[in-house]
Every structure is written in C-alpha cells, then in structure tokens.
Amino acid sequence: MKKFLLRTALLGSLGLLLAACGSSGGSTDSGEGASGDTSGGELRIALSSGIATLDPISYTAVYESNIMRSVFDTLVTYNKDLSEIVPSLATEWEISEDLITYTFHLRDDVYFHPGEYQDGRLMTAEDVKYSMERSLNDSAMNRLRNIKEITVISDTELEVELETPYAAFLAMLTDAGNSIVPKEEVEGMGDEFARNPIGTGPYAFAEWMTDDFVRLEKNADYWQAEPNLDSVRFTFITDGNMMGNALQSGDIDVATDVKGQNVELIEGNDNLVLEKSDGLSIGYLSFNMEEGPTADLKVRQAMNLALDRTELVQGVYQYGEAKEAYLPLPQASWGYSQEAEQMVKDASGPDVEAAKELLTEAGYPDGFDIDIYVGESRVPAATIFQAQMEKIGINVSIKSVEWGTFSDTVSKGNAPLYIMGWSWYPDPDFFLYQMLDSKQIGALGNGGGYSNPEVDELLARATSETSDQEERAQIYEEALKLIVADLPHLDLYDQDILVGLSNQVSGYNVRPDGTIVLVSEDTNVGLTE
C-alpha cells in the first residue's frame, strides 16, 4: 500500500498541475488601503443564474455547487490553485498499488448542523458510506462511479474498493455532488431536503427565497476554523449590467461572472477590485446527434464552416474575457492537444460557399429551420450564431429558458441545438467523460446523445491503464482526434474567470474552476470595516 499523509500531493499519479493557469490577481486580502476587523457582517454574493436544488446528488450547475460548498464538506478537496488534492473530512488515505482500493481515515471532531431529525450529531464513517452510495446510485450527473464496495472499518475509517483502476477517483471525490450528508435528514425530509440542506460546512442553511436569494448563517463550531462572517447571502442577478450596477452601488460585495463594460467600470472604481484567473471553463454549442438535420455529419461540418468564431467571441466578450475555443477541453487542462486543435482549425471557416455546398450534398439546398436552447446569459452568443447560420439558409429560433427547463430539456435529448458552459477540474476525465462518453447519454453533459465506442474505450483506458500524466495525455489526444472528426460540438470560447469585489472583502480567492470557497485550510473570507 502507498500511504498519502496530510499534505502529500498526488501530482505524479493524478496529474493535477495546471499548465496554463495564472492570475492577474487571484485573491485579495482586503483591497488597497483597506483595514479593520474581518470578523462579522454579511457577505453578499451575486450569482448569474437562479438555482433548482441544494441537494448534492441533484445539482447540475456551478451556481448550485457554489452555495453547497459552504453548507457541505467532501472527503478531500483541492487547494486554492487546484494544483493539489488535500485533506478535508478525511485526514489521510491509503491507495493500493493497483489503484483499486482506497482506505480513508476520518476526522473525529466533525458535527452536522442541527436539523429536524438530529440535533447536530457527530459525523462517522457510516455517513460517508451512505452519502457515497447515494451519489453512486442517484446522482443526476453520475458524479460518482466505478465503486464495487464500501466497507466501514470503524467510526473513523472506511475502505472503498473500485470495480476497475481509476486514476481520477480522488479528483472525483472533491466534487460538491459527493458531499457528506446525514441519512436521517435526507430520508426524513424526502424531496424537501433539496430546499433545506443539512451538512457539516462552515455555514448552515437559513433561508431560500425562490429566484431571489439563499441565505446561510455562520457555523461557529466548524471543525476547520471559525468562519469570519456572520452570514452569507447569495443573490441571483441574471442580467450582467444589473449585477455590475449592484456592485457599483454597494448593494452586493461580490459580482461573479463579470463581463462586458463592467470590466472597465470595476477597474476604474477605487472602491472595487477586479480579480482574474485563466479558467477551466468552456462555452460550446452541442448538436443533437440522434435525430434531426444535425444527425448528419455533413450538416454539422457545414455549420462549422459557416461559424465565425472570431466574430462571435469578440461580439460576446468585447473586453477580452474569453479566447476562441476549438476543443471540448479548456486550454488550462493538462490534457489539451494542439494537434487536435489544428484539426478543427483546418476544417473551420468562415467559408459560406463551402458550407452551402455541404448542405446541398446533405439534402438541404435551401437550408432548414431549427431551435436552439439557451439560458438568458447565452442569448448574445446565440444571436450572433443565428445571424451567421442565416447566411447559409439555416433559420435558427432562439429558445431562452430558465435553468430548470433548460437542464431538463437538454438531459432528455429534446434540444435540437443548445449552448451551455462546462467548468470542472484540471483532469480531462471531468470534461471528456461527462460530455462525450455514451454512458452519459441521458445526463446533462451528453445531452446531444454522442456515441462512439472507440472514444468510450479510450476514455476508459485513460483512467484505468496508467496514472502517469504524460501517458494519460497521449490517450486523451487519441480520443480528442476522434471526437473532433465526429464534430458533436462547436466549441466556441474558453472563458477566463473574472470576479468583481468590494475592497472591503478580505481573503476571497478566485479559483480557476469558478468555485466559491469561503472557508478552507488556506482561506477564511471576511469583511473589513
């Protein structure tokens, strides 16, 4: 057995180095010239979308997980620059040489928030087993898989046996979807647990006003450190300009997903700070691969030729908030392939005449009508895409819907086209498997219904044959070349993470994956006077 103690990095085995992840700021202590106490007060954070659930197994969007990360804890977590997996509820772990068996040693001083069915009891290994099995069986996005058996050894120790070797298993356990929950609260509340979550995190759930805000209150007995803030209010502001105005006027303290003219306005305001990080976040358009015109490769190729990525990216991100994208993997991931990128570039436009020829060959000389589903924040990208497709006779109708409707429509394969974003961890498995493995058909990730047995095999090999990063990257490159030849996506933009902060916010760290962590081993966000 190999033993990994408190701060042992798994860089060699898991390949968690961020080759291209930097920041023009990344975190702020208190802003220039700010001083005073960082204890107390309410931090007001604006998210760019509403939420549908706060149950870990049900969440489908980063907006939900950004709230859940303050309510729940996971067994292990990433450090703040995502370069290393570090302990959380597990203090240490052992991994067998064959990458099959993981033995976790747990903290003995972690308590759940008081709820309706328990009064704040001690968390044990039985809770971990229950939570993992629940995620394994019921996760809306298959956020846990490949587990054969979980055995509780004692209150503070359990063993997880995998069905096959899986090099990204620990990275998977960092996902908010695999948070630890108390069985009696989950089963006692039933569906209501999604609106009344109980966890072990630094802040306890207090209130949820639908489409308005979620408020959390300080867990003074948090095992890691006493949180600096009395409370946190996550508000939902879907309009980017309204969010920027709210930050400028002091109605919120943190504006996430900053874009457009707000970039310049925040940079020019002495009371505000703009933090930026190269992101692990992509935006893409997915085709329906199972039915309709886009099931034909020639139609997809024609639309790729009609697409002007430069116009689209510069039109949506006029202040340099994103780069053109060509792969279903962010450039900050260690699995990114320049060769696969070049394949896409060689087959891309804009070339309207060549696109029309392909449509004619596919049997659509006069084009066709098609719907595209988007959330409100993606309407600008859809509008530019709509105008570009019109040049080749494809009439795109934009269906802007709220997140619950969007995720349901896409997951069921009912969207002819859709645009969405994907943000996850440095390991390519969390992009390529989730979005492009056939086993994910029926989940939000693979809403287009893409299936290629050769790709499935390569994605499985990349996590089971070796834990060496370079060897895994080579396998992923093979998979990416097959994927781009099939063209299930039009990858559009590779987003940076931009966050606007009041200079009274202390200790806020902008992470490459866009997650919000308010209290951790190296973070404790507060407000200065």
Side-chain angles (χ1 to χ4, degrees):
M1 303 281 279
K2 293 181 180 178
K3 193 167 187 179
F4 294 80
L5 297 177
L6 196 62
R7 288 283 297 175
T8 301
L10 297 177
L11 302 180
S13 63
L14 293 177
L16 299 174
L17 290 177
L18 286 173
C21 185
S23 174
S24 64
S27 66
T28 179
D29 290 329
S30 58
E32 293 184 19
S35 62
D37 193 2
T38 60
S39 179
E42 180 173 83
L43 182 71
R44 300 158 301 172
I45 302 174
L47 304 178
S48 59
S49 174
I51 63 170
T53 182
L54 288 174
D55 186 341
I57 67 163
S58 302
Y59 97 89
T60 58
V62 68
Y63 318 108
E64 295 159 335
S65 69
N66 275 336
I67 299 174
M68 290 192 295
R69 287 189 182 279
S70 289
V71 176
F72 301 102
D73 290 308
T74 51
L75 273 184
V76 295
T77 189
Y78 276 101
N79 64 351
K80 65 182 181 181
D81 65 359
L82 276 66
S83 64
E84 182 182 351
I85 288 180
V86 297
S88 183
L89 296 180
T91 60
E92 59 186 28
W93 50 90
E94 299 159 1
I95 308 174
S96 62
E97 295 285 351
D98 60 4
L99 300 179
I100 289 286
T101 305
Y102 290 69
T103 303
F104 294 95
H105 303 270
L106 309 178
R107 298 185 65 93
D108 61 3
D109 58 351
V110 178
Y111 293 84
F112 287 109
H113 308 146
E116 187 173 347
Y117 297 91
Q118 50 80 48
D119 59 0
R121 66 167 175 82
L122 186 72
M123 184 212 73
T124 71
E126 289 288 352
D127 297 303
V128 177
K129 174 181 168 69
Y130 170 77
S131 301
M132 293 177 73
E133 289 179 343
R134 182 172 183 256
S135 180
L136 182 67
N137 296 325
D138 300 322
S139 172
M141 294 186 66
N142 300 331
R143 295 181 186 276
L144 195 61
R145 60 183 185 274
N146 198 33
I147 292 179
K148 180 179 181 181
E149 186 176 9
I150 303 172
T151 303
V152 172
I153 300 171
S154 70
D155 282 352
T156 58
E157 188 176 359
L158 77 159
E159 182 179 275
V160 180
E161 181 182 354
L162 304 184
E163 294 176 344
T164 59
Y166 182 49
F169 181 62
L170 287 181
M172 176 180 287
L173 293 183
T174 69
D175 192 283
N178 297 318
S179 297
I180 308 307
V181 298
K183 178 179 180 179
E184 59 267 51
E185 295 290 343
V186 172
E187 298 188 352
M189 284 193 280
D191 292 343
E192 283 302 303
F193 185 77
R195 293 191 63 90
N196 299 273
I198 299 290
T200 62
Y203 294 92
F205 174 79
E207 183 181 10
W208 179 355
M209 294 294 290
T210 303
D211 298 328
D212 192 357
F213 68 87
V214 168
R215 187 172 62 85
L216 311 179
E217 294 180 346
K218 174 180 180 176
N219 174 13
D221 298 321
Y222 186 51
W223 58 268
Q224 195 159 52
E226 181 177 352
N228 282 331
L229 300 163
D230 290 332
S231 61
V232 184
R233 182 181 294 255
F234 291 90
T235 64
F236 311 126
I237 305 178
T238 58
D239 182 272
N241 288 330
M242 289 181 63
M243 185 185 293
N245 291 338
L247 183 65
Q248 296 271 352
S249 65
D251 291 334
I252 60 173
D253 305 301
V254 180
T256 58
D257 196 24
V258 172
K259 59 173 68 75
Q261 63 179 353
N262 289 311
V263 174
E264 287 187 346
L265 292 174
I266 292 171
E267 288 181 323
N269 189 325
D270 292 339
N271 296 318
L272 305 176
V273 179
L274 182 72
E275 297 289 353
K276 180 178 180 180
S277 172
D278 291 337
L280 286 162
S281 181
I282 59 173
Y284 64 97
L285 180 148
S286 181
F287 296 110
N288 191 315
M289 302 287 288
E290 298 182 311
E291 60 184 21
T294 58
D296 188 325
L297 175 60
K298 286 186 177 180
V299 170
R300 301 196 299 274
Q301 290 172 332
M303 295 174 78
N304 184 44
L305 282 170
L307 174 67
D308 186 336
R309 282 181 175 82
T310 301
E311 179 185 61
L312 189 147
V313 173
Q314 291 181 356
V316 176
Y317 298 102
Q318 300 175 27
Y319 296 85
E321 311 99 305
K323 302 172 283 288
E324 294 172 22
Y326 296 90
L327 298 181
L329 196 63
Q331 295 177 35
S333 171
W334 52 262
Y336 195 83
S337 167
Q338 296 294 336
E339 290 188 25
E341 177 191 290
Q342 192 59 51
M343 287 176 60
V344 179
K345 287 182 174 180
D346 290 343
S348 297
D351 191 333
V352 170
E353 294 307 314
K356 288 181 177 179
E357 291 178 11
L358 275 174
L359 277 185
T360 299
E361 291 177 19
Y364 299 97
D366 299 320
F368 53 83
D369 298 337
I370 193 167
D371 293 338
I372 187 168
Y373 281 78
V374 295
E376 185 176 346
S377 64
R378 311 285 178 188
V379 169
T383 302
I384 296 172
F385 175 77
Q386 178 188 55
Q388 293 177 354
M389 294 304 108
E390 188 176 2
K391 295 177 181 178
I392 60 171
I394 298 177
N395 300 310
V396 178
S397 296
I398 299 173
K399 306 296 183 183
S400 177
V401 296
E402 51 82 28
W403 177 252
T405 301
F406 178 89
S407 58
D408 182 66
T409 302
V410 170
S411 297
K412 292 177 179 177
N414 293 330
L417 299 171
Y418 62 90
I419 296 178
M420 66 177 290
W422 200 264
S423 178
W424 222 316
Y425 306 125
D427 197 304
D429 182 67
F430 294 92
F431 285 84
L432 302 183
Y433 174 84
Q434 296 288 342
M435 293 192 291
L436 296 159
D437 193 288
S438 64
K439 290 185 286 297
Q440 289 295 91
I441 294 175
L444 180 62
N446 195 355
Y450 175 68
S451 177
N452 183 326
E454 290 183 81
V455 171
D456 290 351
E457 180 183 359
L458 287 166
L459 296 182
R461 285 179 51 202
T463 56
S464 63
E465 286 189 355
T466 179
S467 60
D468 181 83
Q469 177 178 309
E470 291 186 5
E471 293 176 5
R472 291 184 67 203
Q474 291 174 0
I475 298 173
Y476 281 123
E477 183 169 71
E478 292 182 57
L480 282 166
K481 289 178 179 179
L482 291 175
I483 290 165
V484 300
D486 289 338
L487 202 62
H489 289 180
L490 292 180
D491 298 293
L492 304 175
Y493 40 80
D494 196 334
Q495 294 176 263
D496 294 329
I497 306 297
L498 285 84
V499 176
L501 304 165
S502 161
N503 60 13
Q504 292 183 319
V505 177
S506 168
Y508 192 100
N509 180 67
V510 179
R511 297 187 172 218
D513 60 353
T515 58
I516 297 172
V517 177
L518 300 179
V519 181
S520 69
E521 183 182 59
D522 48 19
T523 300
N524 198 340
V525 177
L527 288 168
T528 61
E529 294 180 351

